[in-house]
Amino acid sequence: AAATASGPAAALDATVSAYGFSSGGKLSIQAPSIQIVAGDGPRAAGGTISLPDSYFAGRGFGEYDLSAVAGGLTVAPDARVVLQQRNYLPDAALRGLQTGADVSKATGVGYLPEIIRAPVNLQLSATSAPLPTTPYSPPPDTTPLPPQMALQIGAGAVIQADPGAAIGVAVTGRVPIPSIDSQIGNIAGQNAVADIEGTIAAPAGSIVVTGGADAQIWLGAQSRLDASGVAVADTRQAALNIGTVLAGGTVTIHGADASSAIVALKGSQ
């Protein structure tokens, strides 16, 4: 498994845990590049964190913040990312637990009923590398370089959250820096592209797609940003057909800088 995406997942499982009773903690990963693969595909080259799409279901985190700072962030085509957390479950043994004792030794973990389970939030962000090449050879001027893919959600990929979740996608390019303001010569600017071809679903939640400085947001013809309302059944009352109906959430797509651009192809939703 070390040569596949499950290798990094196993390493994280062995070193970090954030289970809670009502909601888990937050896992933040910052790396040159990040890749979420469909199934358990091969790991990428050095400098890239690869995770299987199954990693985000059934662990103890209530929020994931994935940030690629140089090489881009990719959700592979046909990947299915299900955002669900497991929590500590109430147990009679907790009543006799001494102060300072390890809670995990006195209770198990499992999925709470959906009607009371806290949603898992997700933030995906990518920023262009500070320099376009290594080693760096300064150009004669700051003429912008061609746009570069920085964040991509592939065709057929699905990011599915529980009701009420907050999902954010953000991308920022490289602003030009003239030699007079730089100790290493001219630094050419470059637009960073966020290309969304798949589906992001956060029922009754919020989806925010942000383009920062020198950024382009592309919404493909099959892309779908869905924050529709939803009915959630209370499965604790098996003899009754009860639950709650949640109103639709919000979808926000915006350019946070005058240099950002948004393009939505016909068919995008």
Side-chain angles (χ1 to χ4, degrees), residues 114-129:
E114 185 179 25
I115 198 166
I116 61 171
R117 185 172 64 235
V120 175
N121 300 325
L122 174 67
Q123 178 68 36
L124 304 176
S125 62
T127 303
S128 293

Side-chain angles (χ1 to χ4, degrees), residues 147-187:
Q148 182 180 53
M149 188 67 66
L151 191 154
Q152 186 170 37
I153 299 176
V158 177
I159 299 176
Q160 179 69 56
D162 275 347
I167 299 178
V169 175
V171 63
T172 302
R174 183 190 312 107
V175 298
I177 302 176
S179 58
I180 192 173
D181 296 324
S182 169
Q183 296 181 355
I184 58 174
N186 292 315
I187 300 176

Side-chain angles (χ1 to χ4, degrees), residues 1-15 40 43-44 48-52 55:
T4 67
S6 62
L12 287 171
D13 287 341
T15 55
D40 187 22
R43 291 175 60 180
T48 298
I49 298 292
S50 299
L51 293 171
Y55 179 75

Side-chain angles (χ1 to χ4, degrees), residues 8-104:
L12 287 171
D13 287 341
T15 55
V16 294
S17 177
Y19 288 104
F21 283 98
S22 61
S23 183
K26 177 180 178 179
L27 176 63
S28 297
I29 298 177
Q30 185 180 87
S33 59
I34 299 173
Q35 179 185 65
I36 300 173
V37 305
D40 187 22
R43 291 175 60 180
T48 298
I49 298 292
S50 299
L51 293 171
D53 53 3
S54 60
Y55 179 75
F56 302 89
R59 284 172 170 79
F61 300 104
E63 183 173 358
Y64 295 90
D65 187 342
L66 308 182
S67 177
V69 297
L73 191 155
T74 301
V75 179
D78 298 320
R80 183 168 180 81
V81 178
V82 177
L83 300 170
Q84 285 186 345
Q85 63 178 306
R86 292 191 298 166
N87 302 99
Y88 287 137
L89 300 176
D91 191 286
L94 292 171
R95 291 180 294 183
L97 197 65
Q98 296 181 351
T99 301
D102 186 351
V103 172
S104 66

